[in-house]
Amino acid sequence: MTDSTSTTRTPVDFWFDPSCPWAWMTSRWVDEVARLRELDVTWHVMSLAVLNEDNTELSDHYKQFLPRALRYTRLVTAVAELHGADLVKPLYDALGTRIHPGGSIDADTVMAEALAELGLPAELVAFADTAEFEPQLRASHADGIGRVGQDVGTPVIAVNGTAFFGPVISPAPKGEQAAALWDGVVAVAAYDGFFEIKRSRTRDPQFD
């Protein structure tokens, strides 16, 4: 007999680059929705550095940003491979809190403090500067971006197999407003013929 009170959790996959402030905003929204809806979220790394490695039209500012971004994604990948995928989200939270609301651009300090917060070996920071786990990083990136196409970025979300970029939001909504936005985004994304809805950004990421 099936328990009538049981619920089926919705599988959600979320691909992020730790350095992207917009992905951070979206991840905080998904965290809020997970309190209100039965979600089973799996967190994956993707890389803005990999996405843009053949882009010859990047601004100088973005070119300076990408090496630091790549270090963060390499660290997350190494931790996942060596200590388990269940640490991907806690490490993302620890890194992102320092990078985004914390405003730090000192990657060495950010990574050292994040590892210490999770009780992970400090020596893991060395993997940020090696390509040892590059195949795994690229495979995770390809899995996410391959679902939505090369002309978007991070984050990528897949719900019940339907994937989409974004949404790009600021600030991250709370409570029932967050749940209502989730329901709407999932609804439009589920339509096979839906591709894009957009307006110009009028504000920067607003962190809590």
Side-chain angles (χ1 to χ4, degrees):
M1 178 180 295
T2 302
D3 183 354
S4 61
T5 64
S6 66
T7 57
T8 300
R9 299 178 69 84
T10 301
V12 177
D13 290 276
F14 190 111
W15 283 265
F16 66 91
D17 184 310
S19 60
C20 177
W22 296 105
W24 177 256
M25 298 298 300
T26 308
S27 71
R28 301 309 94 180
W29 166 62
V30 170
D31 279 350
E32 179 73 1
V33 175
R35 296 193 312 105
L36 304 166
R37 297 285 190 270
E38 294 292 329
L39 304 185
D40 184 9
V41 186
T42 303
W43 301 83
H44 312 268
V45 73
M46 62 182 292
S47 172
L48 290 172
V50 172
L51 182 66
N52 289 282
E53 61 187 354
D54 297 321
N55 189 341
T56 60
E57 300 180 355
L58 296 175
S59 67
D60 289 340
H61 173 76
Y62 208 68
K63 289 177 182 177
Q64 294 172 356
F65 157 80
L66 288 179
R68 183 170 71 248
L70 180 59
R71 296 184 75 203
Y72 292 137
T73 56
R74 283 175 168 175
L75 178 65
V76 174
T77 304
V79 168
E81 292 298 316
L82 297 173
H83 293 272
D86 59 327
L87 286 172
V88 168
K89 179 57 161 53
L91 182 56
Y92 179 30
D93 290 344
L95 292 169
T97 298
R98 291 165 172 81
I99 296 167
H100 302 302
S104 178
I105 60 172
D106 183 346
D108 290 328
T109 299
V110 166
M111 292 187 291
E113 290 181 355
L115 291 171
E117 178 181 323
L118 299 183
L120 291 167
E123 294 77 14
L124 286 168
V125 74
F127 288 102
D129 298 307
T130 76
E132 182 168 346
F133 295 107
E134 198 85 1
Q136 293 90 332
L137 168 58
R138 288 179 176 272
S140 181
H141 173 86
D143 185 22
I145 205 70
R147 301 175 188 228
V148 292
Q150 294 289 328
D151 57 340
V152 297
T154 176
V156 171
I157 300 177
V159 183
N160 283 323
T162 298
F164 51 89
F165 161 67
V168 176
I169 52 177
S170 179
K174 300 290 192 297
E176 285 304 319
Q177 189 176 42
L181 178 61
W182 174 263
D183 294 341
V185 168
V186 171
V188 296
Y191 174 59
D192 183 63
F194 177 81
F195 297 105
E196 185 172 347
I197 184 170
K198 188 174 183 179
R199 63 178 177 175
S200 297
R201 300 176 192 173
T202 58
R203 63 183 70 128
D204 292 329
Q206 297 180 1
F207 307 118
D208 291 338

